[in-house]
Amino acid sequence: MSEAKKYIMTYEGVKKLEEELEYLKTVKRKEITEKIKVALGYGDLSENSEYDEAKNEQAFTEGRILQLENMLKNAVVVDESEISTDTVSIGTTVKVKDYEFDEEVEYTLVGSAEADPMNDKISNESPVGEALIGKKVGDVVEVNAPQGIIKLEILEIKRV
């Protein structure tokens, strides 16, 4: 059997997953159980869309619980005090100049489990993240992204 995938995460990312897991196990499970009870009261299950919907929600929630437990069990937490700001790595925030739009952008590099592109938290496995990892201030990288080649210059590297 192959070794389980390791999820590289920051301490903040682990806390966020633990909170979601706790919510799903305590609050969400109870809500779904109540929905199933109410739907069962409607009688015939063969035409009971409320029951089907509640069971689907239950299956999705249980799947997410298993996924979160697996991610937490296989999490490798990055010690933020040991992060070097000499090169870009997981747990660093990097300021880059985007030549296409002539603007400065900051990205925080995180593991894939806690990526949130809408909040500029990019995965080390994303095209931009992969291109930036290991680079230094002053380096210019070209990223082969879905929308074309992006040219970025690293201006600053700091800890999260």
Side-chain angles (χ1 to χ4, degrees), residues 38-68:
V38 170
L40 285 171
Y42 295 147
D44 186 10
L45 295 182
S46 64
E47 295 180 14
N48 190 330
S49 63
E50 288 87 359
Y51 178 77
D52 291 340
E53 188 178 319
K55 290 301 279 183
N56 286 339
E57 188 177 359
Q58 182 182 42
F60 176 81
T61 300
E62 293 304 320
R64 181 66 178 155
I65 287 171
L66 288 174
Q67 181 184 33
L68 290 172

Side-chain angles (χ1 to χ4, degrees), residues 9-156:
M9 303 177 74
T10 61
Y11 178 73
E12 176 188 331
V14 169
K15 293 300 294 171
K16 200 171 177 183
L17 291 185
E18 287 173 341
E19 288 168 8
E20 182 184 354
L21 180 61
E22 184 65 22
Y23 168 77
L24 291 176
K25 284 181 159 184
T26 56
V27 177
K28 194 70 175 170
R29 273 183 174 163
K30 286 179 183 161
E31 288 175 2
I32 294 169
T33 301
E34 202 51 44
K35 285 181 185 177
I36 291 172
K37 280 183 194 173
V38 170
L40 285 171
Y42 295 147
D44 186 10
L45 295 182
S46 64
E47 295 180 14
N48 190 330
S49 63
E50 288 87 359
Y51 178 77
D52 291 340
E53 188 178 319
K55 290 301 279 183
N56 286 339
E57 188 177 359
Q58 182 182 42
F60 176 81
T61 300
E62 293 304 320
R64 181 66 178 155
I65 287 171
L66 288 174
Q67 181 184 33
L68 290 172
E69 287 174 340
N70 182 51
M71 290 166 75
L72 289 168
K73 182 174 74 178
N74 294 300
V76 176
V77 181
V78 175
D79 185 348
E80 289 156 15
S81 66
E82 294 179 9
I83 295 173
S84 166
T85 55
D86 295 337
T87 60
V88 178
S89 63
I90 292 176
T92 59
T93 297
V94 59
K95 184 189 290 187
V96 296
K97 177 177 179 163
D98 184 330
Y99 282 99
E100 182 181 353
F101 295 107
D102 193 32
E103 64 181 6
E104 291 182 4
V105 184
E106 277 195 355
Y107 296 115
T108 300
L109 269 89
V110 294
S112 60
E114 59 182 309
D116 184 3
M118 300 307 285
N119 291 310
D120 296 322
K121 288 186 173 189
I122 60 170
S123 164
N124 61 316
E125 297 173 12
S126 71
V128 173
E130 210 171 280
L132 292 173
I133 291 283
K135 301 298 188 280
K136 300 174 189 251
V137 172
D139 287 354
V140 176
V141 297
E142 289 189 355
V143 182
N144 191 1
Q147 66 269 30
I149 302 291
I150 302 170
K151 187 175 176 184
L152 304 170
E153 180 182 352
I154 299 172
L155 303 174
E156 180 184 355

